[in-house]
C-alpha cells in the first residue's frame, strides 16, 4: 500500500505519523515535552491537511514531512511581530517585567533564541548585542561592553548588526517578560565567560 492510500483511504495513520515525527523531531525538540507530544501535533496537522494532500497526484514522506514541518514552524516559531517591533518594544518596555516567574514554554523559547544567537553571531557581534541590551536594561549604569570604542563607533556597530539580529530573532514572538529574560541571560553568560578568560 502506498502513502497516498495510507493517508487518504486508511483510518489508521499511526505508522505514517510515527515516520513523519521521526523525520522532523530534531526541528522541534526544544518545544515539545516528548516524542508522543510531537506525534499528537503531527496527527493534527495531517488530519487538517489530509483533504488538500489527497488531491495531489503523488505523496511521499518528504512532502508530508515538509508540510507538517511548515505548519508546526508557523505554530511554534513564526513571529507575529515585525522584526523592528522587537527592538522598539524592548526600548519602550524598559524591561519592567522583573521578578515574574515565566511558564516553561517561555523559558524554552528564550533558551532557543539564545542558542540561535550564539550559533549565528561571532564574539564581537555578541558583544555589540550585549552593549545594546545593557544600555537599555541598565540605562543609568556604566556599560561594560565595547569600552574601547567611541560612542559613534558603538552606534555604527549596532546599526550594522541590528538587521542580522532582527532576522535571527524573527521566529520568536517574545513577550515583555521573555525579552527581559533573554537579555539578562545573554548578558550574564557573556560577562561570566569574559571574566573566566
Amino acid at each position: 500500500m502506498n502513502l497516498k492510500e495510507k493517508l487518504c483511504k486508511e483510518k489508521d495513520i499511526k505508522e505514517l505519523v510515527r515516520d513523519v515525527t521521526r523525520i522532523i523531531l530534531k526541528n522541534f525538540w526544544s518545544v515539545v515535552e516528548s516524542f508522543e507530544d510531537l506525534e499528537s501535533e503531527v496527527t493534527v496537522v495531517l488530519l487538517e491537511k489530509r483533504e488538500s494532500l489527497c488531491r495531489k497526484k503523488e505523496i511521499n514522506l518528504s512532502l508530508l514531512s515538509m508540510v507538517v514541518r511548515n505548519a508546526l514552524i508557523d505554530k511554534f516559531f513564526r513571529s507575529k511581530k515585525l522584526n523592528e517591533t522587537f527592538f522598539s518594544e524592548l526600548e519602550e518596555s524598559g524591561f519592567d517585567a522583573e521578578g515574574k516567574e515565566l511558564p516553561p514554554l517561555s523559558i524554552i523559547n528564550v533558551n532557543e533564541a539564545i542558542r540561535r544567537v550564539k550559533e549565528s553571531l561571532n564574539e564581537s557581534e555578541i558583544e555589540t548585542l550585549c552593549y545594546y541590551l545593557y544600555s537599555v536594561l541598565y540605562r543609568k549604569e556604566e556599560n561594560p561592553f565595547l569600552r574601547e570604542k567611541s560612542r559613534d563607533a558603538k552606534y555604527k556597530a549596532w546599526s550594522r548588526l541590528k538587521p542580522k539580529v532582527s532576522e535571527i530573532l524573527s521566529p520568536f514572538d517574545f513577550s515583555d517578560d521573555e525579552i527581559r529574560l533573554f537579555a539578562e541571560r545573554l548578558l550574564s553568560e557573556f560577562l561570566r565567560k569574559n571574566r573566566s578568560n
Side-chain angles (χ1 to χ4, degrees):
M1 183 178 294
N2 67 31
L3 288 184
K4 187 167 183 178
E5 287 175 348
K6 277 187 183 178
L7 180 66
C8 304
K9 295 182 180 163
E10 287 279 301
K11 295 286 184 205
D12 185 13
I13 60 169
K14 280 183 192 163
E15 189 182 321
L16 195 56
V17 166
R18 192 163 290 125
D19 290 342
V20 171
T21 304
R22 279 192 198 104
I23 292 169
I24 67 166
L25 180 62
K26 67 179 183 296
N27 300 107
F28 299 99
W29 62 266
S30 65
V31 292
V32 291
E33 300 273 320
S34 65
F35 186 84
E36 290 74 26
D37 286 349
L38 185 56
E39 276 186 318
S40 298
E41 297 287 349
V42 170
T43 303
V44 170
V45 173
L46 286 178
L47 292 174
E48 284 175 354
K49 307 274 184 186
R50 179 165 31 195
E51 195 176 311
S52 64
L53 284 166
C54 289
R55 286 196 295 265
K56 294 192 179 294
K57 191 174 177 182
E58 205 176 297
I59 295 176
N60 57 39
L61 261 181
S62 178
L63 171 72
L64 293 178
S65 301
M66 183 188 71
V67 167
V68 172
R69 187 185 294 117
N70 289 344
L72 294 182
I73 284 172
D74 283 343
K75 177 175 180 177
F76 289 118
F77 297 118
R78 192 80 66 212
S79 177
K80 297 180 191 84
K81 301 174 183 174
L82 296 171
N83 289 346
E84 288 300 307
T85 309
F86 172 81
F87 298 108
S88 60
E89 285 189 2
L90 179 61
E91 287 161 5
E92 285 165 20
S93 75
F95 300 105
D96 55 6
E98 205 165 3
K100 294 181 184 171
E101 198 167 309
L102 296 179
L105 199 56
S106 289
I107 293 166
I108 289 168
N109 199 29
V110 167
N111 289 343
E112 180 66 15
I114 289 172
R115 187 182 67 77
R116 289 230 188 135
V117 163
K118 284 161 50 180
E119 282 176 0
S120 307
L121 302 181
N122 63 39
E123 197 160 316
S124 73
E125 289 172 324
I126 293 174
E127 185 175 6
T128 300
L129 175 57
C130 287
Y131 164 78
Y132 168 76
L133 294 172
Y134 196 95
S135 66
V136 175
L137 185 58
Y138 305 109
R139 291 173 193 201
K140 294 175 182 165
E141 295 180 29
E142 187 183 339
N143 197 321
F145 300 100
L146 304 180
R147 283 186 175 158
E148 72 289 350
K149 293 193 177 198
S150 69
R151 188 174 178 175
D152 191 45
K154 290 172 188 175
Y155 176 79
K156 283 180 182 166
W158 172 241
S159 297
R160 281 192 304 272
L161 182 63
K162 187 175 179 179
K164 188 174 179 180
V165 173
S166 293
E167 174 125 3
I168 294 164
L169 296 178
S170 65
F172 303 94
D173 186 20
F174 282 139
S175 67
D176 287 350
D177 296 4
E178 289 168 335
I179 291 170
R180 183 178 187 96
L181 183 63
F182 170 82
E184 286 177 341
R185 286 205 171 164
L186 191 65
L187 289 170
S188 169
E189 203 170 309
F190 197 81
L191 283 169
R192 193 168 54 243
K193 185 180 171 195
N194 282 359
R195 284 189 193 118
S196 64
N197 287 343

